[in-house]
Amino acid sequence: GNLHVYKTARTLSTKGADTQKTKYLPKGSLCCSCIGTVGVLGFIGDIAQTNQQINSIIFSKSYNKEYMYYALQQHFMYSSAKTGNTILNMSKEEFANIMILYPETSILQKYHNQCEPIFSQIDENIKKYHKMPMDDLIDLSVNEMLSRTIMTSITTILALLGLFVFGSVMMYKFKHKFIDLLKDSGVD
């Protein structure tokens, strides 16, 4: 599946979708295919509506998104859906009853802070390179994030090195000027 979904093979017209306004899902909702290709997951890239073959999760707390994506991905990797006559099928009730271990909020927030920049970079690259295969797009996004992280680290090290080399003399002079200023003002 696609990590972020912006385009589908079949769509509703705006007029048709507007007849059922309460069924709009907000951007970032996680959708899961539950008939045929059970367990295909994707975040919707813009407001959307789905049919009854798709179950969706709307997140009230953004720090749940990435964890839920990977938890469901693991669930579907190691479980099987029941079969109908010719296709796999998972009911809304079965989807709602999937058991997922839920960590402490602080752990979820740390996880979100680590994953969200990469997910956002993938989202941006999907918009730019919408015809690129998903594996290549993910590789590109991770490489872009790594190069930014390396550049930020180098810049920080250079600034600290400058402070270390030039700052010690300046801080010494500042300290003595400050002490002289305090003595002149009568503060001990």
Side-chain angles (χ1 to χ4, degrees):
N2 289 326
L3 185 58
H4 297 275
V5 179
Y6 282 93
K7 188 176 180 184
T8 60
R10 297 173 61 192
T11 61
L12 283 171
S13 68
T14 303
K15 184 178 178 181
D18 284 344
T19 63
Q20 45 189 10
K21 289 182 188 248
T22 60
K23 293 189 178 186
Y24 276 111
L25 298 167
K27 176 182 177 177
S29 297
L30 181 60
C31 297
C32 177
S33 173
C34 289
I35 296 178
T37 54
V38 174
V40 175
L41 300 166
F43 292 103
I44 58 172
D46 205 352
I47 61 167
Q49 292 184 13
T50 64
N51 64 20
Q52 68 273 14
Q53 298 172 350
I54 308 288
N55 285 316
S56 303
I57 301 170
I58 299 171
F59 297 98
S60 59
K61 306 226 180 331
S62 63
Y63 58 77
N64 287 317
K65 290 172 60 171
E66 296 84 10
Y67 179 78
M68 188 60 68
Y69 175 83
Y70 285 116
L72 283 172
Q73 197 175 52
Q74 290 297 307
H75 170 80
F76 287 114
M77 190 179 297
Y78 297 109
S79 68
S80 59
K82 69 178 184 181
T83 57
N85 291 333
T86 56
I87 58 173
L88 296 175
N89 185 7
M90 174 179 261
S91 71
K92 186 175 184 177
E93 182 181 345
E94 290 169 318
F95 183 77
N97 288 325
I98 293 174
M99 299 295 285
I100 293 177
L101 182 63
Y102 192 80
E104 291 179 18
T105 301
S106 62
I107 293 171
L108 279 172
Q109 289 171 330
K110 287 177 185 176
Y111 186 77
H112 170 74
N113 291 339
Q114 293 296 313
C115 294
E116 196 275 331
I118 296 169
F119 275 59
S120 293
Q121 187 64 43
I122 293 168
D123 188 27
E124 287 301 314
N125 283 339
I126 285 172
K127 293 175 195 171
K128 280 192 234 176
Y129 311 109
H130 56 276
K131 292 187 179 188
M132 184 182 285
M134 185 55 74
D135 289 343
D136 294 342
L137 206 125
I138 290 171
D139 288 346
L140 172 68
S141 301
V142 170
N143 286 335
E144 288 174 351
M145 290 298 301
L146 281 174
S147 66
R148 260 191 254 153
T149 302
I150 290 168
M151 291 306 290
T152 302
S153 298
I154 289 171
T155 304
T156 304
I157 288 169
L158 289 175
L160 291 173
L161 185 62
L163 283 173
F164 179 74
V165 171
F166 301 112
S168 58
V169 173
M170 298 299 277
M171 291 302 286
Y172 179 79
K173 289 180 183 178
F174 174 75
K175 178 179 90 174
H176 285 287
K177 291 271 187 196
F178 190 66
I179 290 171
D180 290 343
L181 181 66
L182 288 175
K183 284 181 182 175
D184 291 343
S185 67
V187 177
D188 290 330

